[in-house]
Amino acid sequence: NLKITDILYDLHTCRSYMSAFINRTYGMNFSRFINALRMSEFERLKKLPENSGKSEAELIARSGFNYRSFMRFRNIENK
């Protein structure tokens, strides 16, 4: 449930600037940007030897996704 407004105070910026920055720099909106970071974290966690016995569901949760959001994002990205 992370929203762009949740990070503005710590970054000392406003919503419109942050949104424009993410769109211009990464070519995607905030939600897609965060999910791409979560997917990268999931892939990183999967490769770690210490996670070899962990379930995909556990790694999904550790990367910040819930299972439904993970599946939806992965299906969208694979199209």
Side-chain angles (χ1 to χ4, degrees):
N1 293 335
L2 183 65
K3 297 182 276 311
I4 195 168
T5 53
D6 296 336
I7 65 169
L8 298 177
Y9 180 79
D10 291 334
L11 297 174
H12 305 288
T13 191
C14 67
R15 183 188 181 287
S16 59
Y17 178 80
M18 180 57 66
S19 179
F21 173 79
I22 292 170
N23 282 315
R24 185 176 56 252
T25 306
Y26 300 102
M28 60 185 80
N29 66 27
F30 177 76
S31 179
R32 190 167 178 194
F33 174 70
I34 292 300
N35 284 334
L37 292 175
R38 288 175 176 153
M39 186 59 76
S40 293
E41 177 65 2
F42 171 76
E43 294 298 333
R44 186 188 75 78
L45 290 172
K46 256 182 29 175
K47 292 176 184 173
L48 293 176
E50 60 266 28
N51 291 331
S52 64
K54 296 197 170 116
S55 70
E56 186 174 79
E58 185 176 350
L59 298 179
I60 288 167
R62 287 188 62 204
S63 63
F65 276 112
N66 64 47
Y67 188 77
R68 184 175 173 198
S69 295
F70 173 82
M71 294 305 289
R72 185 174 52 235
F73 184 76
R74 185 166 68 177
N75 288 337
I76 290 169
E77 291 300 303
N78 286 337
K79 288 183 180 180

